[in-house]
Amino acid sequence: MPQHTLTVAGVTVDTRHWIGGERLASATTFTDISPIDGAVLGEISRGTPAEADAAVAAARAAFPGWAATPRTERARVLHAIADGVDKRLDELAIVETTDNGALLRSHRRGVMPRVAHNFRFFADRLLALGHEDFDTRGHRNHVRWDPAGPCALITPWNAPLMLESWKVAPALAAGNTVVLKPAEWTPLTASLLADIAARAGLPAGVLNVVQGYGSEIGDALTSHPDVRRISFTGSVPTARRIAASAAPHLTPTSFELGGKSPLLVFADADLDLAVALAVEQYDNAGQVCLAATRILVQEPVAGEFVRRFTDRAGRLRQGDPRDDATDIGPNIHPAHLDKIDGFVRRAVAAGARAVIGGHRIDSRYYAPTLLTDVDQDAEIVQEEVFGPVLTLQTFQEEAEAVRLANGTRFGLAATVATGDPARAERVTAQLVAGTVWVNCFFVRDLRAPFGGARSSGVGREGGDWSFDFFCDLKNTVTAPKGWQDHG
Ligand code: NAD
């Protein structure tokens, strides 16, 4: 008798798909392992195109009912999902940490409350959504946000439930139905979300979860004629494949992709603050799309910056992410660690110097690394490593700093440390990035647009921008009674 559940720290997780309000097992499975110690967590249903099709069919069948559900009722259900997340917050936190290796204390205090907040925020935003009617020669223009249809939502492993809820909440609020495909390295919390949503009263088929490899079921979702929106967070090569697969049906896509963001440290900055911002980039073992992995420091303070940085980074504690004292946990997978190590080895072979780190600790942990003596066109400066690896370059003048900062194909975020407000304004105006922080990092408000320029993404989500993406906007022009105007 095949087993369809696994248990993590006493929490039972169903390992099957969730399609049309029912659990469905695949004929084959894949193995889910914990990055903390390599322990096998269990066998997960390995989706096939047939199951992806079934999930889209369920989403299509449920669409008319959910689209016609009054906004107030949709908002009520989303609030109930948020309540369900809050109720299971500790369970979600430990399951997520076990599955992806990020810090338990972050999941408890920051990430899971944010997941609940995503549902509440988009529920409330839905109720406020509207555009003032306007008049054209006596004709009334009325703008509506009509639901678009079934949406395919595809997410990565570095912040699984956080990124899933960031897409699921606005898609459902907008009146759409959803097929969610979580990353194969972190399948568990999506399954728990399905349980929570069902318990909250979300009708069957409105949210479907299909597990499996993107390479095996991705195409079936993204080329499906009934899928009306694709929201994807992940890597640039996968985005290219999805764009090609979505092209025949011109399915609208929203892409949130990788980055190689700069941290600009000017000589007039509060140096301790700048160092703290720099060390923060090792969070989640460097597996953060927004991470400012390229530190650019003005020449006169570079030596002192490196000294203080080395001191502070040296106090970071690396270890089990379930331990509250830990600052840096494991990387997601030994295969990913190999990739990180490859980047560093090639950089060092090309002349880079590891001021700290530069090596793996074992098959799961990589030492926090700072590389100097790197050229702007070096691979380590141009390509996303997605590990605890930072580079440091120096500059003389503001214009040079901006040139270096903008000198990659990415444009997700940038951080500026300066004590001069006029400089801050000048520099931020010139930076190519979806988000710029001045003397801070990772302050994110759900009302703000979020996304990347250049290869870091296509489109913006967040606030009303999410509704713009997930809806078909319609303008209705109504003539006043008795009006005969064909002009
Ligand atoms: P990835 O592109 O390998 O995988 C992401 C998801 O896409 C997974 O669910 C995967 O199964 C799926 N997928 C793979 N091939 C597919 C295909 N052909 N069709 C459809 N889906 C497919 O990325 P990853 O390694 O999981 O994530 C890391 C990347 O995500 C990094 O580049 C990181 O910067 C980026 N990221 C971006 C943001 C952002 O908001 N901009 C946030 C987090 C992560």
Side-chain angles (χ1 to χ4, degrees):
M1 188 61 184
Q3 184 145 8
H4 293 312
T5 60
L6 57 78
T7 306
V8 174
V11 184
T12 302
V13 185
D14 201 298
T15 55
R16 295 169 291 182
H17 314 293
W18 174 250
I19 297 175
E22 286 177 7
R23 291 288 176 181
L24 188 88
S26 287
T28 59
T29 60
F30 64 94
T31 305
D32 187 27
I33 61 162
S34 173
I36 301 174
D37 50 10
V40 171
L41 299 175
E43 293 295 317
I44 313 293
S45 273
R46 180 170 177 165
T48 64
E51 282 133 5
D53 274 353
V56 175
R60 185 184 164 166
F63 175 66
W66 183 245
T69 301
R71 282 185 179 192
T72 47
E73 174 59 12
R74 295 205 302 257
R76 191 193 64 73
V77 175
L78 290 190
H79 272 280
I81 295 174
D83 294 344
V85 169
D86 276 342
K87 216 158 144 190
R88 302 192 67 180
L89 200 134
D90 284 337
E91 294 180 5
L92 291 166
I94 186 65
V95 171
E96 195 83 296
T97 288
T98 310
D99 211 13
N100 90 331
L103 299 186
L104 182 58
R105 69 174 141 89
S106 307
H107 281 149
R108 275 208 190 111
R109 291 178 207 156
V111 176
M112 294 309 162
R114 180 76 175 205
V115 168
H117 182 53
N118 281 340
F119 283 100
R120 291 199 177 97
F121 171 85
F122 285 108
D124 294 344
R125 198 84 194 172
L126 168 71
L127 298 181
L129 195 63
H131 193 291
E132 254 182 53
D133 288 356
F134 50 97
D135 213 73
T136 309
R137 299 191 306 277
H139 299 59
R140 184 177 67 112
N141 287 255
H142 177 68
V143 176
R144 288 175 54 97
W145 277 258
D146 288 344
C151 303
L153 309 180
I154 301 172
T155 49
W157 44 262
N158 64 320
L161 193 57
M162 162 66 207
L163 292 170
E164 288 153 16
S165 59
W166 155 258
K167 296 180 190 301
V168 169
L172 295 184
N176 298 317
T177 52
V178 159
V179 178
L180 169 65
K181 198 211 83 63
E184 51 271 31
W185 279 346
T186 52
L188 302 185
T189 45
S191 181
L192 292 177
L193 178 65
D195 292 342
I196 290 169
R199 190 168 271 267
L202 192 72
V206 175
L207 168 67
N208 305 277
V209 178
V210 185
Q211 305 284 8
Y213 291 97
S215 54
E216 294 176 356
I217 54 171
D219 256 2
L221 289 175
T222 55
S223 66
H224 201 295
D226 291 337
V227 166
R228 294 312 313 140
R229 291 290 186 276
I230 299 165
S231 176
F232 167 74
T233 298
S235 65
V236 174
T238 305
R240 285 202 190 99
R241 277 195 287 274
I242 291 175
S245 161
H249 299 292
L250 297 176
T251 311
T253 53
S254 169
F255 289 152
E256 296 180 352
L257 310 177
K260 194 73 188 176
S261 300
L263 163 60
L264 295 79
V265 180
F266 288 94
D268 57 24
D270 172 339
L271 211 56
D272 281 331
L273 171 70
V275 166
L277 293 173
V279 173
E280 205 179 329
Q281 309 308 320
Y282 291 133
D283 277 6
N284 204 7
Q287 301 164 141
V288 177
C289 57
L290 293 162
T293 49
R294 293 185 296 130
I295 304 172
L296 309 174
V297 190
Q298 202 157 16
E299 196 73 60
V301 295
E304 182 58 16
F305 178 92
V306 170
R307 199 186 61 71
R308 292 193 207 179
F309 178 93
T310 308
D311 178 55
R312 196 172 174 128
R315 282 184 266 133
L316 291 173
R317 272 174 292 206
Q318 199 161 13
D320 192 320
R322 294 165 296 196
D323 182 344
D324 264 0
T326 297
D327 298 305
I328 304 183
N331 286 102
I332 184 73
H333 196 279
H336 187 61
L337 209 94
D338 287 345
K339 229 175 99 188
I340 296 169
D341 196 44
F343 273 114
V344 173
R345 280 171 184 273
R346 289 191 295 278
V348 170
R353 187 170 72 86
V355 177
I356 60 167
H359 56 87
R360 59 174 96 212
I361 292 167
D362 58 26
S363 64
R364 285 181 289 279
Y365 292 82
Y366 204 85
T369 297
L370 178 69
L371 298 173
T372 59
D373 302 353
V374 292
D375 291 332
Q376 181 67 14
D377 58 2
E379 180 195 51
I380 197 72
V381 172
Q382 293 293 327
E383 296 299 325
E384 184 184 44
V385 176
F386 224 51
V389 178
L390 309 178
T391 59
L392 186 139
Q393 296 166 272
T394 60
F395 65 87
Q396 302 280 357
E397 302 295 334
E398 191 178 293
E400 186 188 0
V402 170
R403 189 173 52 74
L404 293 174
N406 288 340
T408 73
R409 69 194 161 105
F410 294 105
L412 189 57
T415 302
V416 181
T418 175
D420 178 354
R423 187 200 295 281
E425 211 169 311
R426 261 195 326 270
V427 170
T428 55
Q430 296 173 75
L431 290 172
V432 180
T435 302
V436 182
W437 286 288
V438 178
N439 295 327
C440 61
F441 179 67
F442 223 82
V443 180
R444 286 191 55 198
D445 191 307
L446 284 175
R447 289 168 295 185
F450 180 79
R454 296 179 177 163
S455 291
S456 287
V458 176
R460 295 291 182 274
E461 294 185 37
D464 290 349
W465 290 275
S466 290
F467 287 104
D468 287 352
F469 174 70
F470 281 116
C471 292
D472 281 328
L473 281 142
K474 181 162 73 198
N475 186 37
T476 305
V477 185
T478 306
K481 219 170 166 194
W483 190 273
Q484 298 258 321
D485 178 5
H486 303 287

